[in-house]
Amino acid sequence: MSRVRPPLAKSHGFTLVELLIGTVLGGIAVAAAASVIVSHLNSTNATIWAVQLQRDLSKFNYLLNSEAVEACRVQAGTPPANDTACVPGTFATPLSCATVTGPATNFSLLVPLDVANADPVERVITYRLDSGRVLRDGPRILTSGRLDTTVANNQNNAVVLDGVTAFTPTVSADCRSATITVTLAVPTYALTRTQTIRVAAGAAHYIR
């Protein structure tokens, strides 16, 4: 005698409530995963920017010190004129850089440059803050690494540092050294880096 099997239960699929609950839970999981990914990307980008800011400051430090070592005088405010003689101060009338006239965010170097079979000529290099950038005005740098003595060939408004929120030079009273505070910022990540750069004039004063 054969046994009668009960009929199989019919599958009705998922109910609307189950589908809604699954959708909500899936959305929560996706949102959580997206939040983790975005947080990781932001952290990675912030790290990359921090490294880049430090590299930019290091390069700027190197450039400033490389040019300062050729200078006979440093100055804040209004730049000195080209061909200003690099004469030393005297006990009676010492050179004074304590009083700054003109933009306080200007920093200038008076550099004596050799000219064949002639006395050196003095040229001025100025670094200045303009709309979040430090610009360099002055003699162009030749492929040989030397500075061009021809004033007409000066390269002005050259961007040497971007994203600058502070550029504050403080020059010593004898015009021979300076401390410059530079702050870079990346507003997107509320990230800032500040560095104090110390430079000293490397060329001796002389009387032509």
Side-chain angles (χ1 to χ4, degrees), residues 6 25-26 29 38 50 57 65 72 139 156 169-170 184:
L25 292 177
V38 170
L57 286 170
N65 276 281
C72 63
N156 298 329
T170 303
L184 301 184

Side-chain angles (χ1 to χ4, degrees), residues 116-128:
N117 302 318
D119 289 331
V121 295
E122 296 80 10
R123 296 293 178 258
V124 178
I125 300 171
T126 299
Y127 294 90
R128 55 189 175 84

Side-chain angles (χ1 to χ4, degrees), residues 178-197:
T179 299
I180 303 167
T181 302
V182 187
T183 300
L184 301 184
V186 182
T188 305
Y189 299 99
L191 185 67
T192 62
R193 282 290 183 276
T194 298
Q195 184 166 329
T196 299
I197 300 173

Side-chain angles (χ1 to χ4, degrees), residues 149-205:
T149 60
T150 305
V151 176
N153 294 337
N154 274 10
Q155 186 177 19
N156 298 329
N157 302 313
V159 179
V160 294
L161 205 57
D162 203 356
V164 183
T165 58
F167 181 73
T168 310
T170 303
V171 177
S172 63
D174 64 357
C175 313
R176 295 286 295 169
S177 62
T179 299
I180 303 167
T181 302
V182 187
T183 300
L184 301 184
V186 182
T188 305
Y189 299 99
L191 185 67
T192 62
R193 282 290 183 276
T194 298
Q195 184 166 329
T196 299
I197 300 173
R198 294 177 175 82
V199 298
H205 289 107

Side-chain angles (χ1 to χ4, degrees), residues 102-126:
T105 54
N106 281 2
F107 178 68
S108 300
L109 305 167
L110 184 63
V111 183
L113 301 177
D114 289 332
V115 179
N117 302 318
D119 289 331
V121 295
E122 296 80 10
R123 296 293 178 258
V124 178
I125 300 171
T126 299

Side-chain angles (χ1 to χ4, degrees), residues 2 7 23 30 32 37 51 58 75 82 87 103 107-108 121 126 139 150 155 178 186 207:
S2 62
T23 301
V30 170
I37 292 172
V51 172
S58 296
Q75 183 173 322
N82 287 304
V87 297
F107 178 68
S108 300
V121 295
T126 299
T150 305
Q155 186 177 19
V186 182
I207 300 177

